[in-house]
Amino acid sequence: MSDAVDSTASSGFVVLGKIVDAYGLRGAVKVLPFADDPLRWSKLLNWWVGKEGSPPDTWQQVRLLKRKVHGDVLVVEFDTVCDRNAAESVRGMLVGVPRAAMPAAGDDEYYWADLIGMQVVNTREQRLGSVVGLIETSANDVLRVSDGDAPERLLPFVASVVLDVDLERRCIRVDWEADW
């Protein structure tokens, strides 16, 4: 699963990570990725940088000059961040791209942003709620499903539970009972 998180599905914008710190003296920043395979999506020439909660149309486009994996973060240089002071000023900002710019997901891979809001039904056609978020664990990803009334359900995103993901119909079919 590609686990880029959704900024707002209706905006068609996908948040890829968060700038967590400056790196070095020449304006590089550390980006904590929210998505699998950061080298794949870091090959995009342009990203957008903005504050959490701000509408995507207020985010600023930046050009990636360099990128490398450094432990569990990406170290990147942007064309608009030229020194350490500028790098420190963008700490805490999110990075994202328009959904249309993202590389296509592979077979049986999904962007988290595409799953948020999908209806979840079980094999008995009972509606369990909709996906309100996902959790990454060391064992597997977990769907957070809520119907607004009952406590949130946590369903493992594994083949034995998630039987079908229909992106077109915006529906996920699961082997999970309503009273679990």
mmCIF file with all atom_site columns, all heavy atoms in Angstrom, residues 32-52:
data_model
loop_
_atom_site.group_PDB
_atom_site.id
_atom_site.type_symbol
_atom_site.label_atom_id
_atom_site.label_alt_id
_atom_site.label_comp_id
_atom_site.label_asym_id
_atom_site.label_entity_id
_atom_site.label_seq_id
_atom_site.pdbx_PDB_ins_code
_atom_site.Cartn_x
_atom_site.Cartn_y
_atom_site.Cartn_z
_atom_site.occupancy
_atom_site.B_iso_or_equiv
_atom_site.pdbx_formal_charge
_atom_site.auth_seq_id
_atom_site.auth_comp_id
_atom_site.auth_asym_id
_atom_site.auth_atom_id
_atom_site.pdbx_PDB_model_num
ATOM 1   N N   . LEU A 1 32 ? 10.083 14.125 6.756   1.00 0.00 ? 32 LEU A N   1
ATOM 2   C CA  . LEU A 1 32 ? 9.577  12.844 7.239   1.00 0.00 ? 32 LEU A CA  1
ATOM 3   C C   . LEU A 1 32 ? 8.517  12.382 6.255   1.00 0.00 ? 32 LEU A C   1
ATOM 4   O O   . LEU A 1 32 ? 7.475  13.026 6.111   1.00 0.00 ? 32 LEU A O   1
ATOM 5   C CB  . LEU A 1 32 ? 8.978  12.988 8.637   1.00 0.00 ? 32 LEU A CB  1
ATOM 6   C CG  . LEU A 1 32 ? 8.385  11.709 9.238   1.00 0.00 ? 32 LEU A CG  1
ATOM 7   C CD1 . LEU A 1 32 ? 9.469  10.663 9.454   1.00 0.00 ? 32 LEU A CD1 1
ATOM 8   C CD2 . LEU A 1 32 ? 7.671  12.034 10.534  1.00 0.00 ? 32 LEU A CD2 1
ATOM 9   N N   . PRO A 1 33 ? 8.772  11.284 5.524   1.00 0.00 ? 33 PRO A N   1
ATOM 10  C CA  . PRO A 1 33 ? 7.794  10.863 4.518   1.00 0.00 ? 33 PRO A CA  1
ATOM 11  C C   . PRO A 1 33 ? 6.569  10.212 5.144   1.00 0.00 ? 33 PRO A C   1
ATOM 12  O O   . PRO A 1 33 ? 6.673  9.480  6.112   1.00 0.00 ? 33 PRO A O   1
ATOM 13  C CB  . PRO A 1 33 ? 8.571  9.850  3.667   1.00 0.00 ? 33 PRO A CB  1
ATOM 14  C CG  . PRO A 1 33 ? 9.733  9.420  4.482   1.00 0.00 ? 33 PRO A CG  1
ATOM 15  C CD  . PRO A 1 33 ? 9.973  10.463 5.532   1.00 0.00 ? 33 PRO A CD  1
ATOM 16  N N   . PHE A 1 34 ? 5.410  10.515 4.563   1.00 0.00 ? 34 PHE A N   1
ATOM 17  C CA  . PHE A 1 34 ? 4.154  9.876  4.938   1.00 0.00 ? 34 PHE A CA  1
ATOM 18  C C   . PHE A 1 34 ? 3.784  8.810  3.908   1.00 0.00 ? 34 PHE A C   1
ATOM 19  O O   . PHE A 1 34 ? 2.669  8.315  3.921   1.00 0.00 ? 34 PHE A O   1
ATOM 20  C CB  . PHE A 1 34 ? 3.016  10.894 4.985   1.00 0.00 ? 34 PHE A CB  1
ATOM 21  C CG  . PHE A 1 34 ? 3.136  11.941 6.058   1.00 0.00 ? 34 PHE A CG  1
ATOM 22  C CD1 . PHE A 1 34 ? 2.410  13.107 5.947   1.00 0.00 ? 34 PHE A CD1 1
ATOM 23  C CD2 . PHE A 1 34 ? 3.940  11.777 7.165   1.00 0.00 ? 34 PHE A CD2 1
ATOM 24  C CE1 . PHE A 1 34 ? 2.483  14.090 6.920   1.00 0.00 ? 34 PHE A CE1 1
ATOM 25  C CE2 . PHE A 1 34 ? 4.030  12.754 8.146   1.00 0.00 ? 34 PHE A CE2 1
ATOM 26  C CZ  . PHE A 1 34 ? 3.293  13.915 8.015   1.00 0.00 ? 34 PHE A CZ  1
ATOM 27  N N   . ALA A 1 35 ? 4.668  8.492  3.003   1.00 0.00 ? 35 ALA A N   1
ATOM 28  C CA  . ALA A 1 35 ? 4.332  7.580  1.909   1.00 0.00 ? 35 ALA A CA  1
ATOM 29  C C   . ALA A 1 35 ? 5.427  6.548  1.715   1.00 0.00 ? 35 ALA A C   1
ATOM 30  O O   . ALA A 1 35 ? 6.596  6.813  1.997   1.00 0.00 ? 35 ALA A O   1
ATOM 31  C CB  . ALA A 1 35 ? 4.133  8.364  0.613   1.00 0.00 ? 35 ALA A CB  1
ATOM 32  N N   . ASP A 1 36 ? 5.026  5.393  1.237   1.00 0.00 ? 36 ASP A N   1
ATOM 33  C CA  . ASP A 1 36 ? 5.976  4.352  0.877   1.00 0.00 ? 36 ASP A CA  1
ATOM 34  C C   . ASP A 1 36 ? 6.852  4.833  -0.264  1.00 0.00 ? 36 ASP A C   1
ATOM 35  O O   . ASP A 1 36 ? 6.459  5.704  -1.033  1.00 0.00 ? 36 ASP A O   1
ATOM 36  C CB  . ASP A 1 36 ? 5.246  3.099  0.372   1.00 0.00 ? 36 ASP A CB  1
ATOM 37  C CG  . ASP A 1 36 ? 4.545  2.338  1.483   1.00 0.00 ? 36 ASP A CG  1
ATOM 38  O OD1 . ASP A 1 36 ? 4.820  2.602  2.657   1.00 0.00 ? 36 ASP A OD1 1
ATOM 39  O OD2 . ASP A 1 36 ? 3.700  1.482  1.148   1.00 0.00 ? 36 ASP A OD2 1
ATOM 40  N N   . ASP A 1 37 ? 7.992  4.227  -0.400  1.00 0.00 ? 37 ASP A N   1
ATOM 41  C CA  . ASP A 1 37 ? 8.875  4.429  -1.538  1.00 0.00 ? 37 ASP A CA  1
ATOM 42  C C   . ASP A 1 37 ? 9.138  5.907  -1.822  1.00 0.00 ? 37 ASP A C   1
ATOM 43  O O   . ASP A 1 37 ? 8.856  6.412  -2.908  1.00 0.00 ? 37 ASP A O   1
ATOM 44  C CB  . ASP A 1 37 ? 8.283  3.742  -2.771  1.00 0.00 ? 37 ASP A CB  1
ATOM 45  C CG  . ASP A 1 37 ? 9.315  3.503  -3.848  1.00 0.00 ? 37 ASP A CG  1
ATOM 46  O OD1 . ASP A 1 37 ? 10.508 3.807  -3.622  1.00 0.00 ? 37 ASP A OD1 1
ATOM 47  O OD2 . ASP A 1 37 ? 8.939  3.027  -4.928  1.00 0.00 ? 37 ASP A OD2 1
ATOM 48  N N   . PRO A 1 38 ? 9.695  6.628  -0.836  1.00 0.00 ? 38 PRO A N   1
ATOM 49  C CA  . PRO A 1 38 ? 9.903  8.064  -1.028  1.00 0.00 ? 38 PRO A CA  1
ATOM 50  C C   . PRO A 1 38 ? 10.820 8.388  -2.199  1.00 0.00 ? 38 PRO A C   1
ATOM 51  O O   . PRO A 1 38 ? 10.667 9.443  -2.811  1.00 0.00 ? 38 PRO A O   1
ATOM 52  C CB  . PRO A 1 38 ? 10.494 8.533  0.300   1.00 0.00 ? 38 PRO A CB  1
ATOM 53  C CG  . PRO A 1 38 ? 10.949 7.318  1.003   1.00 0.00 ? 38 PRO A CG  1
ATOM 54  C CD  . PRO A 1 38 ? 10.139 6.180  0.475   1.00 0.00 ? 38 PRO A CD  1
ATOM 55  N N   . LEU A 1 39 ? 11.730 7.498  -2.544  1.00 0.00 ? 39 LEU A N   1
ATOM 56  C CA  . LEU A 1 39 ? 12.578 7.800  -3.702  1.00 0.00 ? 39 LEU A CA  1
ATOM 57  C C   . LEU A 1 39 ? 11.770 7.854  -4.987  1.00 0.00 ? 39 LEU A C   1
ATOM 58  O O   . LEU A 1 39 ? 12.073 8.621  -5.887  1.00 0.00 ? 39 LEU A O   1
ATOM 59  C CB  . LEU A 1 39 ? 13.714 6.784  -3.823  1.00 0.00 ? 39 LEU A CB  1
ATOM 60  C CG  . LEU A 1 39 ? 14.881 6.995  -2.866  1.00 0.00 ? 39 LEU A CG  1
ATOM 61  C CD1 . LEU A 1 39 ? 15.945 5.933  -3.065  1.00 0.00 ? 39 LEU A CD1 1
ATOM 62  C CD2 . LEU A 1 39 ? 15.473 8.380  -3.015  1.00 0.00 ? 39 LEU A CD2 1
ATOM 63  N N   . ARG A 1 40 ? 10.719 7.058  -5.059  1.00 0.00 ? 40 ARG A N   1
ATOM 64  C CA  . ARG A 1 40 ? 9.880  7.051  -6.254  1.00 0.00 ? 40 ARG A CA  1
ATOM 65  C C   . ARG A 1 40 ? 9.162  8.384  -6.432  1.00 0.00 ? 40 ARG A C   1
ATOM 66  O O   . ARG A 1 40 ? 9.212  9.002  -7.472  1.00 0.00 ? 40 ARG A O   1
ATOM 67  C CB  . ARG A 1 40 ? 8.879  5.898  -6.172  1.00 0.00 ? 40 ARG A CB  1
ATOM 68  C CG  . ARG A 1 40 ? 7.990  5.765  -7.363  1.00 0.00 ? 40 ARG A CG  1
ATOM 69  C CD  . ARG A 1 40 ? 7.183  4.496  -7.248  1.00 0.00 ? 40 ARG A CD  1
ATOM 70  N NE  . ARG A 1 40 ? 6.069  4.530  -8.164  1.00 0.00 ? 40 ARG A NE  1
ATOM 71  C CZ  . ARG A 1 40 ? 4.981  3.834  -7.995  1.00 0.00 ? 40 ARG A CZ  1
ATOM 72  N NH1 . ARG A 1 40 ? 4.853  3.019  -6.971  1.00 0.00 ? 40 ARG A NH1 1
ATOM 73  N NH2 . ARG A 1 40 ? 4.013  3.911  -8.860  1.00 0.00 ? 40 ARG A NH2 1
ATOM 74  N N   . TRP A 1 41 ? 8.487  8.863  -5.384  1.00 0.00 ? 41 TRP A N   1
ATOM 75  C CA  . TRP A 1 41 ? 7.752  10.115 -5.535  1.00 0.00 ? 41 TRP A CA  1
ATOM 76  C C   . TRP A 1 41 ? 8.636  11.329 -5.377  1.00 0.00 ? 41 TRP A C   1
ATOM 77  O O   . TRP A 1 41 ? 8.269  12.428 -5.771  1.00 0.00 ? 41 TRP A O   1
ATOM 78  C CB  . TRP A 1 41 ? 6.517  10.200 -4.666  1.00 0.00 ? 41 TRP A CB  1
ATOM 79  C CG  . TRP A 1 41 ? 6.657  9.887  -3.212  1.00 0.00 ? 41 TRP A CG  1
ATOM 80  C CD1 . TRP A 1 41 ? 6.357  8.698  -2.606  1.00 0.00 ? 41 TRP A CD1 1
ATOM 81  C CD2 . TRP A 1 41 ? 7.089  10.754 -2.163  1.00 0.00 ? 41 TRP A CD2 1
ATOM 82  N NE1 . TRP A 1 41 ? 6.591  8.781  -1.264  1.00 0.00 ? 41 TRP A NE1 1
ATOM 83  C CE2 . TRP A 1 41 ? 7.043  10.028 -0.967  1.00 0.00 ? 41 TRP A CE2 1
ATOM 84  C CE3 . TRP A 1 41 ? 7.521  12.073 -2.128  1.00 0.00 ? 41 TRP A CE3 1
ATOM 85  C CZ2 . TRP A 1 41 ? 7.402  10.563 0.267   1.00 0.00 ? 41 TRP A CZ2 1
ATOM 86  C CZ3 . TRP A 1 41 ? 7.888  12.620 -0.903  1.00 0.00 ? 41 TRP A CZ3 1
ATOM 87  C CH2 . TRP A 1 41 ? 7.829  11.866 0.271   1.00 0.00 ? 41 TRP A CH2 1
ATOM 88  N N   . SER A 1 42 ? 9.844  11.141 -4.839  1.00 0.00 ? 42 SER A N   1
ATOM 89  C CA  . SER A 1 42 ? 10.738 12.295 -4.743  1.00 0.00 ? 42 SER A CA  1
ATOM 90  C C   . SER A 1 42 ? 11.378 12.617 -6.087  1.00 0.00 ? 42 SER A C   1
ATOM 91  O O   . SER A 1 42 ? 12.050 13.632 -6.234  1.00 0.00 ? 42 SER A O   1
ATOM 92  C CB  . SER A 1 42 ? 11.815 12.069 -3.679  1.00 0.00 ? 42 SER A CB  1
ATOM 93  O OG  . SER A 1 42 ? 12.757 11.105 -4.103  1.00 0.00 ? 42 SER A OG  1
ATOM 94  N N   . LYS A 1 43 ? 11.157 11.770 -7.085  1.00 0.00 ? 43 LYS A N   1
ATOM 95  C CA  . LYS A 1 43 ? 11.648 12.061 -8.434  1.00 0.00 ? 43 LYS A CA  1
ATOM 96  C C   . LYS A 1 43 ? 10.788 13.095 -9.144  1.00 0.00 ? 43 LYS A C   1
ATOM 97  O O   . LYS A 1 43 ? 11.162 13.598 -10.199 1.00 0.00 ? 43 LYS A O   1
ATOM 98  C CB  . LYS A 1 43 ? 11.715 10.776 -9.265  1.00 0.00 ? 43 LYS A CB  1
ATOM 99  C CG  . LYS A 1 43 ? 12.803 9.836  -8.779  1.00 0.00 ? 43 LYS A CG  1
ATOM 100 C CD  . LYS A 1 43 ? 12.859 8.568  -9.588  1.00 0.00 ? 43 LYS A CD  1
ATOM 101 C CE  . LYS A 1 43 ? 13.914 7.644  -9.002  1.00 0.00 ? 43 LYS A CE  1
ATOM 102 N NZ  . LYS A 1 43 ? 13.938 6.356  -9.659  1.00 0.00 ? 43 LYS A NZ  1
ATOM 103 N N   . LEU A 1 44 ? 9.639  13.427 -8.559  1.00 0.00 ? 44 LEU A N   1
ATOM 104 C CA  . LEU A 1 44 ? 8.821  14.499 -9.126  1.00 0.00 ? 44 LEU A CA  1
ATOM 105 C C   . LEU A 1 44 ? 9.633  15.789 -9.055  1.00 0.00 ? 44 LEU A C   1
ATOM 106 O O   . LEU A 1 44 ? 10.297 16.066 -8.052  1.00 0.00 ? 44 LEU A O   1
ATOM 107 C CB  . LEU A 1 44 ? 7.526  14.648 -8.338  1.00 0.00 ? 44 LEU A CB  1
ATOM 108 C CG  . LEU A 1 44 ? 6.598  13.433 -8.340  1.00 0.00 ? 44 LEU A CG  1
ATOM 109 C CD1 . LEU A 1 44 ? 5.487  13.605 -7.326  1.00 0.00 ? 44 LEU A CD1 1
ATOM 110 C CD2 . LEU A 1 44 ? 6.038  13.211 -9.727  1.00 0.00 ? 44 LEU A CD2 1
ATOM 111 N N   . LEU A 1 45 ? 9.606  16.578 -10.089 1.00 0.00 ? 45 LEU A N   1
ATOM 112 C CA  . LEU A 1 45 ? 10.431 17.782 -10.146 1.00 0.00 ? 45 LEU A CA  1
ATOM 113 C C   . LEU A 1 45 ? 9.939  18.899 -9.237  1.00 0.00 ? 45 LEU A C   1
ATOM 114 O O   . LEU A 1 45 ? 10.730 19.726 -8.777  1.00 0.00 ? 45 LEU A O   1
ATOM 115 C CB  . LEU A 1 45 ? 10.514 18.292 -11.583 1.00 0.00 ? 45 LEU A CB  1
ATOM 116 C CG  . LEU A 1 45 ? 11.179 17.343 -12.583 1.00 0.00 ? 45 LEU A CG  1
ATOM 117 C CD1 . LEU A 1 45 ? 11.139 17.945 -13.976 1.00 0.00 ? 45 LEU A CD1 1
ATOM 118 C CD2 . LEU A 1 45 ? 12.599 17.033 -12.155 1.00 0.00 ? 45 LEU A CD2 1
ATOM 119 N N   . ASN A 1 46 ? 8.629  18.937 -8.996  1.00 0.00 ? 46 ASN A N   1
ATOM 120 C CA  . ASN A 1 46 ? 8.053  20.013 -8.196  1.00 0.00 ? 46 ASN A CA  1
ATOM 121 C C   . ASN A 1 46 ? 7.206  19.440 -7.073  1.00 0.00 ? 46 ASN A C   1
ATOM 122 O O   . ASN A 1 46 ? 6.496  18.447 -7.256  1.00 0.00 ? 46 ASN A O   1
ATOM 123 C CB  . ASN A 1 46 ? 7.175  20.920 -9.063  1.00 0.00 ? 46 ASN A CB  1
ATOM 124 C CG  . ASN A 1 46 ? 7.973  21.610 -10.138 1.00 0.00 ? 46 ASN A CG  1
ATOM 125 O OD1 . ASN A 1 46 ? 8.859  22.395 -9.868  1.00 0.00 ? 46 ASN A OD1 1
ATOM 126 N ND2 . ASN A 1 46 ? 7.672  21.297 -11.393 1.00 0.00 ? 46 ASN A ND2 1
ATOM 127 N N   . TRP A 1 47 ? 7.282  20.098 -5.914  1.00 0.00 ? 47 TRP A N   1
ATOM 128 C CA  . TRP A 1 47 ? 6.418  19.826 -4.784  1.00 0.00 ? 47 TRP A CA  1
ATOM 129 C C   . TRP A 1 47 ? 5.741  21.140 -4.422  1.00 0.00 ? 47 TRP A C   1
ATOM 130 O O   . TRP A 1 47 ? 6.109  22.202 -4.904  1.00 0.00 ? 47 TRP A O   1
ATOM 131 C CB  . TRP A 1 47 ? 7.204  19.343 -3.576  1.00 0.00 ? 47 TRP A CB  1
ATOM 132 C CG  . TRP A 1 47 ? 7.723  17.942 -3.637  1.00 0.00 ? 47 TRP A CG  1
ATOM 133 C CD1 . TRP A 1 47 ? 7.517  17.019 -4.608  1.00 0.00 ? 47 TRP A CD1 1
ATOM 134 C CD2 . TRP A 1 47 ? 8.554  17.318 -2.666  1.00 0.00 ? 47 TRP A CD2 1
ATOM 135 N NE1 . TRP A 1 47 ? 8.168  15.846 -4.297  1.00 0.00 ? 47 TRP A NE1 1
ATOM 136 C CE2 . TRP A 1 47 ? 8.806  16.010 -3.104  1.00 0.00 ? 47 TRP A CE2 1
ATOM 137 C CE3 . TRP A 1 47 ? 9.099  17.731 -1.466  1.00 0.00 ? 47 TRP A CE3 1
ATOM 138 C CZ2 . TRP A 1 47 ? 9.588  15.116 -2.383  1.00 0.00 ? 47 TRP A CZ2 1
ATOM 139 C CZ3 . TRP A 1 47 ? 9.876  16.838 -0.749  1.00 0.00 ? 47 TRP A CZ3 1
ATOM 140 C CH2 . TRP A 1 47 ? 10.109 15.542 -1.194  1.00 0.00 ? 47 TRP A CH2 1
ATOM 141 N N   . TRP A 1 48 ? 4.770  21.061 -3.535  1.00 0.00 ? 48 TRP A N   1
ATOM 142 C CA  . TRP A 1 48 ? 4.118  22.244 -2.992  1.00 0.00 ? 48 TRP A CA  1
ATOM 143 C C   . TRP A 1 48 ? 4.330  22.210 -1.483  1.00 0.00 ? 48 TRP A C   1
ATOM 144 O O   . TRP A 1 48 ? 4.279  21.141 -0.866  1.00 0.00 ? 48 TRP A O   1
ATOM 145 C CB  . TRP A 1 48 ? 2.640  22.246 -3.341  1.00 0.00 ? 48 TRP A CB  1
ATOM 146 C CG  . TRP A 1 48 ? 2.374  22.655 -4.750  1.00 0.00 ? 48 TRP A CG  1
ATOM 147 C CD1 . TRP A 1 48 ? 1.860  23.855 -5.164  1.00 0.00 ? 48 TRP A CD1 1
ATOM 148 C CD2 . TRP A 1 48 ? 2.608  21.912 -5.953  1.00 0.00 ? 48 TRP A CD2 1
ATOM 149 N NE1 . TRP A 1 48 ? 1.769  23.890 -6.530  1.00 0.00 ? 48 TRP A NE1 1
ATOM 150 C CE2 . TRP A 1 48 ? 2.228  22.707 -7.042  1.00 0.00 ? 48 TRP A CE2 1
ATOM 151 C CE3 . TRP A 1 48 ? 3.125  20.651 -6.222  1.00 0.00 ? 48 TRP A CE3 1
ATOM 152 C CZ2 . TRP A 1 48 ? 2.322  22.297 -8.369  1.00 0.00 ? 48 TRP A CZ2 1
ATOM 153 C CZ3 . TRP A 1 48 ? 3.240  20.228 -7.538  1.00 0.00 ? 48 TRP A CZ3 1
ATOM 154 C CH2 . TRP A 1 48 ? 2.841  21.045 -8.590  1.00 0.00 ? 48 TRP A CH2 1
ATOM 155 N N   . VAL A 1 49 ? 4.582  23.358 -0.891  1.00 0.00 ? 49 VAL A N   1
ATOM 156 C CA  . VAL A 1 49 ? 4.845  23.476 0.542   1.00 0.00 ? 49 VAL A CA  1
ATOM 157 C C   . VAL A 1 49 ? 3.789  24.392 1.144   1.00 0.00 ? 49 VAL A C   1
ATOM 158 O O   . VAL A 1 49 ? 3.502  25.465 0.597   1.00 0.00 ? 49 VAL A O   1
ATOM 159 C CB  . VAL A 1 49 ? 6.258  24.058 0.786   1.00 0.00 ? 49 VAL A CB  1
ATOM 160 C CG1 . VAL A 1 49 ? 6.500  24.270 2.271   1.00 0.00 ? 49 VAL A CG1 1
ATOM 161 C CG2 . VAL A 1 49 ? 7.324  23.145 0.189   1.00 0.00 ? 49 VAL A CG2 1
ATOM 162 N N   . GLY A 1 50 ? 3.205  23.947 2.263   1.00 0.00 ? 50 GLY A N   1
ATOM 163 C CA  . GLY A 1 50 ? 2.195  24.764 2.906   1.00 0.00 ? 50 GLY A CA  1
ATOM 164 C C   . GLY A 1 50 ? 1.981  24.383 4.349   1.00 0.00 ? 50 GLY A C   1
ATOM 165 O O   . GLY A 1 50 ? 2.469  23.354 4.817   1.00 0.00 ? 50 GLY A O   1
ATOM 166 N N   . LYS A 1 51 ? 1.236  25.213 5.037   1.00 0.00 ? 51 LYS A N   1
ATOM 167 C CA  . LYS A 1 51 ? 0.928  24.984 6.440   1.00 0.00 ? 51 LYS A CA  1
ATOM 168 C C   . LYS A 1 51 ? -0.200 23.971 6.566   1.00 0.00 ? 51 LYS A C   1
ATOM 169 O O   . LYS A 1 51 ? -1.133 23.969 5.770   1.00 0.00 ? 51 LYS A O   1
ATOM 170 C CB  . LYS A 1 51 ? 0.508  26.286 7.115   1.00 0.00 ? 51 LYS A CB  1
ATOM 171 C CG  . LYS A 1 51 ? 1.621  27.283 7.237   1.00 0.00 ? 51 LYS A CG  1
ATOM 172 C CD  . LYS A 1 51 ? 1.141  28.535 7.942   1.00 0.00 ? 51 LYS A CD  1
ATOM 173 C CE  . LYS A 1 51 ? 2.280  29.534 8.020   1.00 0.00 ? 51 LYS A CE  1
ATOM 174 N NZ  . LYS A 1 51 ? 1.856  30.781 8.656   1.00 0.00 ? 51 LYS A NZ  1
ATOM 175 N N   . GLU A 1 52 ? -0.113 23.157 7.593   1.00 0.00 ? 52 GLU A N   1
ATOM 176 C CA  . GLU A 1 52 ? -1.173 22.191 7.872   1.00 0.00 ? 52 GLU A CA  1
ATOM 177 C C   . GLU A 1 52 ? -2.475 22.938 8.104   1.00 0.00 ? 52 GLU A C   1
ATOM 178 O O   . GLU A 1 52 ? -2.520 23.944 8.801   1.00 0.00 ? 52 GLU A O   1
ATOM 179 C CB  . GLU A 1 52 ? -0.814 21.359 9.099   1.00 0.00 ? 52 GLU A CB  1
ATOM 180 C CG  . GLU A 1 52 ? -1.755 20.217 9.348   1.00 0.00 ? 52 GLU A CG  1
ATOM 181 C CD  . GLU A 1 52 ? -1.218 19.231 10.372  1.00 0.00 ? 52 GLU A CD  1
ATOM 182 O OE1 . GLU A 1 52 ? -0.086 19.390 10.849  1.00 0.00 ? 52 GLU A OE1 1
ATOM 183 O OE2 . GLU A 1 52 ? -1.964 18.295 10.676  1.00 0.00 ? 52 GLU A OE2 1
#
